[in-house]
Amino acid sequence: EPEVTQTPSHQVTQMGQEVILRCVPISNHLYFYWYRQILGQKVEFLVSFYNNEISEKSEIFDDQFSVERPDGSNFTLKIRSTKLEDSAMYFCASSELGGVETQYFGPGTRLLVL
Amino acid sequence: KNQVEQSPQSLIILEGKNCTLQCNYTVSPFSNLRWYKQDTGRGPVSLTIMTFSENTKSNGRYTATLDADTKQSSLHITASQLSDSASYICVVSARGAGKSTFGDGTTLTVKP
């Protein structure tokens, strides 16, 4: 069964460093999403992406965040200058279409900023 | 402000028993409501999706209900199994917006 994959599973970085989280969505899906979940807290929407551009973003998704689909298969989330409060689990998700389509989540990347 | 409130925060039941989880929301204008199951350290897995016109949706032993007038939803789990132990998350999306509002989840523990 097709699934969303994410790499790395864990990432430790120093405050101020740039990190890139990678996701491979399900191959025929057209909509892509990033979410984050700070330890012990609820999942929060970051951004949705369709047709090579951002379709929605939350207040969390400020100028230090960016997303890209560099090669038609990968979908990346870049954090330019990490802060301690960026420590969280980051989930990528994809759906065949937008709206009420089922979103399939990846296993997540655990980011720890020291 | 869009909000999703879930209750109870946690629940412990014996294997084989049924349980019902609640979700109240203030998201407007309403588009759809989803229930997810999230195992510890894993990504959420979709259980049901309901739009405004649907008031019940089943997926195996999971049955979700939606009352769009009172802005309430429930997730009923029948004949619980040990593998049902997880966090159950209610997510509500507003019409015309891709972003979703997540609830805090209900942590369900099924004991033998």
Side-chain angles (χ1 to χ4, degrees):
Chain A
E1 183 176 329
E3 58 184 16
V4 176
T5 59
Q6 291 184 242
T7 55
S9 59
H10 294 78
Q11 172 109 34
V12 180
T13 189
Q14 295 291 324
M15 190 170 57
Q17 294 297 303
E18 174 184 286
V19 294
I20 297 176
L21 310 183
R22 291 182 167 79
C23 167
V24 179
I26 294 173
S27 62
N28 63 331
H29 286 187
L30 300 178
Y31 287 77
F32 315 112
Y33 313 84
W34 282 102
Y35 297 86
R36 80 171 186 190
Q37 186 173 29
I38 296 170
L39 189 63
Q41 297 187 23
K42 67 173 75 176
V43 176
E44 300 171 289
F45 169 82
L46 291 178
V47 66
S48 60
F49 190 86
Y50 168 71
N51 199 27
N52 279 321
E53 58 183 34
I54 291 173
S55 48
E56 293 282 347
K57 61 181 181 178
S58 71
E59 308 76 35
I60 303 167
F61 194 89
D62 60 22
D63 291 344
Q64 71 160 343
F65 291 93
S66 62
V67 289
E68 192 177 34
R69 189 155 162 79
D71 56 14
S73 61
N74 289 283
F75 178 51
T76 63
L77 174 69
K78 181 191 291 186
I79 309 175
R80 289 191 182 84
S81 179
T82 51
K83 305 171 191 167
L84 296 177
E85 55 264 36
D86 293 327
S87 296
M89 180 76 94
Y90 287 82
F91 293 108
C92 172
S94 69
S95 62
E96 195 170 347
L97 299 171
V100 295
E101 289 289 312
T102 298
Q103 292 182 22
Y104 295 85
F105 282 72
T109 292
R110 168 80 60 195
L111 176 65
L112 178 60
V113 182
L114 301 177
Chain B
K1 182 182 177 182
N2 291 335
Q3 286 189 312
V4 175
E5 302 287 340
Q6 291 188 243
S7 62
Q9 186 176 16
S10 62
L11 183 63
I12 300 174
I13 61 173
L14 293 176
E15 187 179 11
K17 298 297 186 182
N18 304 336
C19 66
T20 300
L21 315 179
Q22 301 290 342
C23 173
N24 297 337
Y25 62 91
T26 56
V27 176
S28 183
F30 175 85
S31 172
N32 63 85
L33 184 147
R34 304 163 189 254
W35 282 95
Y36 286 93
K37 177 186 179 188
Q38 185 179 24
D39 292 312
T40 302
R42 307 289 296 273
V45 174
S46 181
L47 296 176
T48 62
I49 305 172
M50 288 184 292
T51 59
F52 183 87
S53 59
E54 298 172 296
N55 55 24
T56 187
K57 183 76 71 82
S58 289
N59 177 2
R61 295 180 296 102
Y62 303 103
T63 299
T65 65
L66 173 65
D67 185 332
D69 292 330
T70 61
K71 295 184 169 57
Q72 295 179 326
S73 176
S74 66
L75 180 70
H76 186 74
I77 305 173
T78 59
S80 60
Q81 301 175 357
L82 298 178
S83 58
D84 291 334
S85 295
S87 179
Y88 290 84
I89 305 171
C90 176
V91 184
V92 185
S93 297
R95 189 159 15 101
K99 51 190 169 183
S100 307
T101 302
F102 284 70
D104 286 319
T106 292
T107 301
L108 175 66
T109 303
V110 180
K111 294 197 167 182

